[in-house]
Amino acid sequence: MPDLNAPESSSNSRAVERALDESKQVKKTVEEAADELAVVHVVLDKGVSEDARTDDLDRAIEQTDQIEKKLSKSVDLLEKVAEALETENHKKAS
């Protein structure tokens, strides 16, 4: 008897594979943004003397640090999503 779920399973497998590829690309983009923001943070924090800083600049420096941390957490979460998708894809392929 033919497997009536085969086309749907194949379609689901392709969807999981596509989601995996897209999540890896997003992870790479977020990682790059976090790295670039970390550089901006260091330049602002170390490149501007304490005497030349304004309250606005100090807030901006703090914000760059907080945003970089959020992006890094997002990278970690995207890594977990990619791992879960890979596991699911391997299960479907078996």
Side-chain angles (χ1 to χ4, degrees):
M1 180 177 249
D3 183 2
L4 298 177
N5 292 327
E8 183 179 320
S9 176
S10 177
S11 175
N12 286 344
S13 181
R14 284 192 301 272
V16 169
E17 201 170 300
R18 193 169 43 252
L20 176 60
D21 289 343
E22 289 173 2
S23 72
K24 285 180 179 179
Q25 183 58 45
V26 169
K27 176 186 169 280
K28 182 179 176 189
T29 301
V30 172
E31 243 173 356
E32 289 170 357
D35 290 345
E36 290 169 8
L37 189 58
V39 170
V40 170
H41 176 75
V42 169
V43 168
L44 288 174
D45 193 33
K46 306 291 183 212
V48 179
S49 71
E50 292 288 329
D51 296 340
R53 289 186 184 184
T54 63
D55 289 341
D56 288 341
L57 182 57
D58 283 336
R59 277 193 295 280
I61 291 169
E62 181 58 32
Q63 281 185 309
T64 60
D65 185 48
Q66 295 303 315
I67 294 168
E68 191 272 329
K69 287 177 182 174
K70 286 180 185 178
L71 288 171
S72 292
K73 285 181 183 179
S74 295
V75 167
D76 293 341
L77 181 58
L78 284 166
E79 183 67 34
K80 290 177 184 174
V81 168
E83 288 172 7
L85 288 169
E86 272 188 46
T87 299
E88 186 64 26
N89 203 30
H90 287 302
K91 284 181 187 177
K92 298 239 186 229
S94 300

